[in-house]
Amino acid sequence: GAVVSQHPSWVICKSGTSVKIECRSLDFQATTMFWYRQFPKQSLMLMATSNEGSKATYEQGVEKDKFLINHASLTLSTLTVTSAHPEDSSFYICSVRGTAYYEQYFGPGTRLTVT
Amino acid sequence: AQTVTQSQPEMSVQEAETVTLSCTYDTSESNYYLFWYKQPPSRQMILVIRQEAYKQQNATENRFSVNFQKAAKSFSLKISDSQLGDTAMYFCAFMFAGGTSYGKLTFGQGTILTVHP
């Protein structure tokens, strides 16, 4: 399966600033990536589907202007949380869709804390 | 829209014993996949087992097996010979196999499993 990394693993930022999270597919050409959000001891919620070279598709209720996703290459997708607020504090996980549509390989996640 | 329900927030089991985690789902689709994922304290998501809806035979992966009841929309996970390393949060997940939703996972609320020595 694909090896997926995320950077940073943990970030603390001040309220009102923006923060960028990177998701890299290290050994697989990722045409499609997914971004999830997870609150402590809760489920993963799909935020958006990121397709290489095109605009991301956001799930209902996710603010596209707040969570900017860019998938400019087959190995990198980025999630930028703009004007972050304490309620944006969460665990963000990306995944890469494999050769088969049912395959999905997850990154280790990024913990965002907004103070 | 699909929904996935895990009614057991927490469960515990003694090492070497067997435990079953429950999952039900609701869908009007006939072509889909079901998964169990494990999230240990490291928070890395790990695929445990996958079941294709069109297959009647229950999937098995070593100590992990499922009981897939399509008509009842039930998908339980049985862990045999539980090990301390099985301690994790377990998520049941649904994926529609077609259309624009293909590849999108819908997760249940999760079940925290603790294996005691």
Side-chain angles (χ1 to χ4, degrees):
Chain A
V3 178
V4 183
S5 69
Q6 284 186 238
H7 178 79
S9 56
W10 193 358
V11 57
I12 301 173
C13 70
K14 293 185 181 296
S15 185
T17 63
S18 296
V19 61
K20 181 183 289 187
I21 301 170
E22 294 183 347
C23 176
R24 291 186 183 275
S25 178
L26 302 182
D27 58 354
F28 183 82
Q29 292 189 323
T31 56
T32 300
M33 292 183 175
F34 302 94
W35 285 95
Y36 297 86
R37 182 175 182 174
Q38 183 182 30
F39 290 106
K41 294 190 176 182
Q42 293 190 26
S43 185
L44 280 73
M45 299 298 295
L46 179 64
M47 299 175 66
T49 302
S50 166
N51 292 299
E52 188 264 339
S54 63
K55 290 184 177 181
T57 303
Y58 291 82
E59 295 301 302
Q60 192 171 8
V62 177
E63 300 176 62
K64 60 181 66 177
D65 293 331
K66 181 167 190 57
F67 298 99
L68 301 179
I69 293 172
N70 186 295
H71 191 161
S73 76
L74 290 173
T75 59
L76 175 65
S77 176
T78 60
L79 168 67
T80 301
V81 183
T82 62
S83 186
H85 291 284
E87 57 266 31
D88 299 325
S89 297
S90 190
F91 194 65
Y92 293 88
I93 304 173
C94 72
S95 69
V96 169
R97 190 175 72 192
T99 304
Y101 272 49
Y102 57 74
E103 293 175 329
Q104 205 161 128
Y105 304 100
F106 288 84
T110 296
R111 181 185 299 180
L112 170 63
T113 301
V114 184
T115 60
Chain B
Q2 287 68 232
T3 58
V4 180
T5 303
Q6 293 177 249
S7 58
Q8 304 154 316
E10 295 189 40
M11 291 193 73
S12 63
V13 65
Q14 292 296 126
E15 198 174 7
E17 292 187 346
T18 296
V19 63
T20 298
L21 307 184
S22 300
C23 172
T24 58
Y25 59 96
D26 187 24
T27 185
S28 58
E29 307 294 343
S30 59
N31 194 16
Y32 53 87
Y33 296 93
L34 293 164
F35 306 82
W36 279 98
Y37 282 92
K38 167 184 175 180
Q39 188 180 42
S42 67
R43 303 192 78 171
Q44 173 70 56
M45 295 291 285
I46 300 166
L47 175 65
V48 175
I49 202 164
R50 183 186 77 247
Q51 174 78 45
E52 290 87 344
Y54 65 86
K55 288 187 177 179
Q56 292 186 334
Q57 187 173 7
N58 290 323
T60 299
E61 287 287 343
N62 301 312
R63 297 183 295 108
F64 300 88
S65 62
V66 298
N67 184 359
F68 174 46
Q69 301 291 326
K70 190 171 184 178
K73 296 180 182 175
S74 170
F75 184 62
S76 61
L77 174 70
K78 185 172 81 172
I79 306 174
S80 304
D81 186 25
S82 296
Q83 300 175 359
L84 296 178
D86 295 334
T87 293
M89 191 158 189
Y90 287 80
F91 291 99
C92 178
F94 174 100
M95 179 190 290
F96 174 50
T100 57
S101 294
Y102 206 165
K104 294 185 179 181
L105 285 165
T106 301
F107 288 91
Q109 304 92 322
T111 296
I112 298 173
L113 175 67
T114 303
V115 180
H116 297 286

